[in-house]
């Protein structure tokens, strides 16, 4: 059994996957967490953009169904990487049953946030095509539809109370110690 310090640095061979609604900070927290854990960080939205171009035009041209299919392929590819990473998923990635099945083999962290935090972070929503003309109302509807899926996938749930990135990273690291200990004592 590895020590908690070893678990923090090397993990247990699983990816640490950040999920949550749009605006929850998955990309920012994921990058900071990866630096702390000395792991690579990959953001599925950035990976998508590198492969297919900006998301809003792709979404407009090909539709949500095509976007979700490509997103599902990217997530599967990244989760299959031989080097454990910190992976930030797009907010809708968990809608895929096959993605949820793959997440069961990872350490999944849900970054939650309040409606007020979302409103502040989303701005006019122009970079998020699924939000349309009323970003906050759309965000609330989407979150209500996905909240239980997020919670069902998560091993660790981050409260929206800890807004500072360093606090969130430290809280996740402490929770990872507990998760790794629990998994290795079984």
């Amino acid at each position: 059994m590895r020590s908690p310090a070893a678990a923090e640095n090397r993990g247990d061979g699983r990816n640490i996957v950040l999920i949550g609604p749009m605006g929850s900070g998955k990309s920012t927290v994921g990058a900071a967490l990866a630096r702390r854990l000395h792991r690579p960080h990959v953001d599925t939205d950035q990976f998508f953009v590198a492969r297919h171009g900006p998301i809003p035009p792709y979404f407009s041209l090909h539709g949500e169904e095509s976007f979700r299919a490509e997103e599902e392929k990217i997530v599967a590819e990244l989760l299959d990487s031989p080097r454990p990473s910190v992976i930030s998923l797009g907010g809708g990635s968990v809608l895929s049953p096959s993605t949820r099945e793959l997440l069961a083999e990872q350490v999944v962290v849900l970054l939650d946030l309040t409606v007020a935090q979302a409103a502040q972070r989303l701005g006019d929503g122009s970079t998020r095509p699924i939000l349309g003309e009323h970003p906050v109302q759309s965000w609330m509807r989407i979150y209500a539809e996905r909240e239980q899926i997020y919670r069902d996938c998560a091993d660790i749930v981050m409260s929206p109370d800890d807004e500072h990135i360093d606090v969130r990273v430290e809280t996740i690291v402490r929770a990872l110690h507990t998760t790794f200990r629990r998994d290795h004592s079984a």
Side-chain angles (χ1 to χ4, degrees), residues 84-146:
S85 301
V86 175
I87 302 172
S88 300
L89 298 190
S93 296
V94 298
L95 297 174
S96 161
S98 64
T99 294
R100 291 193 305 268
E101 190 175 307
L102 293 172
L103 289 177
E105 303 299 319
Q106 314 301 320
V107 177
V108 180
V109 179
L110 167 59
L111 299 181
D112 211 351
L113 78 161
T114 65
V115 174
Q117 290 167 330
Q120 179 183 12
R121 295 175 188 178
L122 296 174
D124 68 1
S126 62
T127 61
R128 300 170 192 270
I130 199 166
L131 292 179
E133 293 183 24
H134 305 285
V136 176
Q137 291 82 359
S138 296
W139 182 92
M140 290 170 54
R141 177 188 49 77
I142 292 166
Y143 182 69
E145 293 168 356
R146 297 176 183 174

Side-chain angles (χ1 to χ4, degrees), residues 54-100:
I55 293 172
Y58 185 96
F59 213 88
S60 295
L61 185 62
H62 301 285
E64 183 175 1
E65 188 175 323
S66 177
F67 171 78
R68 295 291 175 212
E70 289 303 311
E71 180 181 56
E72 182 180 286
K73 291 175 194 173
I74 287 169
V75 171
E77 182 181 333
L78 295 173
L79 291 176
D80 193 40
S81 173
R83 183 166 180 211
S85 301
V86 175
I87 302 172
S88 300
L89 298 190
S93 296
V94 298
L95 297 174
S96 161
S98 64
T99 294
R100 291 193 305 268

